[in-house]
Amino acid sequence: MDLLYACRDAWDTPDRSGDPVDLHDHALQTAHLLRRAHPSDKELQLAGLVHDLGHLLRPGDDAGHADRAADAVRPLLGARVARLVQLHVPAKRYLATVEPDRTLSPQSELTLRAQGGVMSPEEADAFALDPEAEAALDLRQADDAGKVVGLDAGVMDDWRPVLALVAARHAR
């Protein structure tokens, strides 16, 4: 929870030139969208909440932020949440490959290049075969949509029980 609270007034770019909402609001919006679309998939919702923690842990590391966030959440939230977090960047690359006319935010367009650009046909085929590909694409779509200035997506404390539930499941 401390890391999530620290996302208030933290941005995806050190100079605040990136997306129009801070990491805190982006996390809440992404998780909220996933909760509405997938009400029973708590792990997917939490992946949406924590997917960009890597920007907080190492500002400016666009290429490695997903891996950094996955490593940070794995011990508490488990392998699936970490895997979904890790896959949110390849999911963007995949969507850019299979839907070349898909609109990305200006910041996502910039970071796409740093993250490897569109996938080769072999990379796209391998991504599509991943057992978590569909959930990762849902996360990516919520990630892209969760950047609305002023949208009320609740408060961080709303997620405390869900975090506790998934952490308890993982601890067993």
Side-chain angles (χ1 to χ4, degrees):
M1 288 302 296
D2 289 343
L3 273 178
L4 290 168
Y5 286 122
C7 289
R8 186 174 294 287
D9 293 322
W11 299 80
D12 60 336
T13 58
D15 66 359
R16 294 187 180 196
S17 64
D19 290 323
V21 296
D22 67 11
L23 294 175
H24 176 271
D25 288 349
H26 177 57
L28 286 172
Q29 289 180 27
T30 304
H32 174 77
L33 290 167
L34 289 165
R35 178 184 271 171
R36 283 192 3 214
H38 303 278
S40 64
D41 194 342
K42 305 302 184 205
E43 291 174 329
L44 177 58
Q45 296 165 23
L46 287 185
L49 191 69
V50 301
H51 75 282
D52 273 347
L53 284 177
H55 287 302
L56 182 70
L57 297 171
R58 183 169 291 166
D61 184 14
D62 292 322
H65 83 280
D67 290 334
R68 187 161 318 284
D71 290 344
V73 303
R74 185 177 290 108
L76 180 64
L77 300 177
R80 181 167 183 254
V81 173
R83 181 72 178 142
L84 291 170
V85 168
Q86 192 174 36
L87 286 173
H88 88 274
V89 169
K92 175 169 78 171
R93 295 182 61 222
Y94 177 82
L95 286 170
T97 303
V98 301
E99 298 177 17
D101 295 331
R102 182 181 179 81
T103 303
L104 293 171
S105 72
Q107 183 62 23
S108 277
E109 272 299 333
L110 286 174
T111 60
L112 177 64
R113 286 190 282 280
Q115 294 162 341
V118 297
M119 291 181 163
S120 69
E122 297 79 22
E123 288 175 310
D125 290 345
F127 177 85
L129 292 174
D130 190 295
E132 293 295 351
E134 186 175 331
L137 292 171
D138 290 338
L139 170 56
R140 182 72 232 174
Q141 291 167 337
D143 181 5
D144 290 339
K147 301 174 183 183
V148 179
V149 174
L151 178 70
D152 181 5
V155 296
M156 201 58 76
D157 272 340
D158 293 343
W159 290 96
R160 188 179 298 272
V162 181
L163 284 161
L165 174 73
V166 171
R169 272 194 226 151
H170 172 64
R172 285 188 218 145

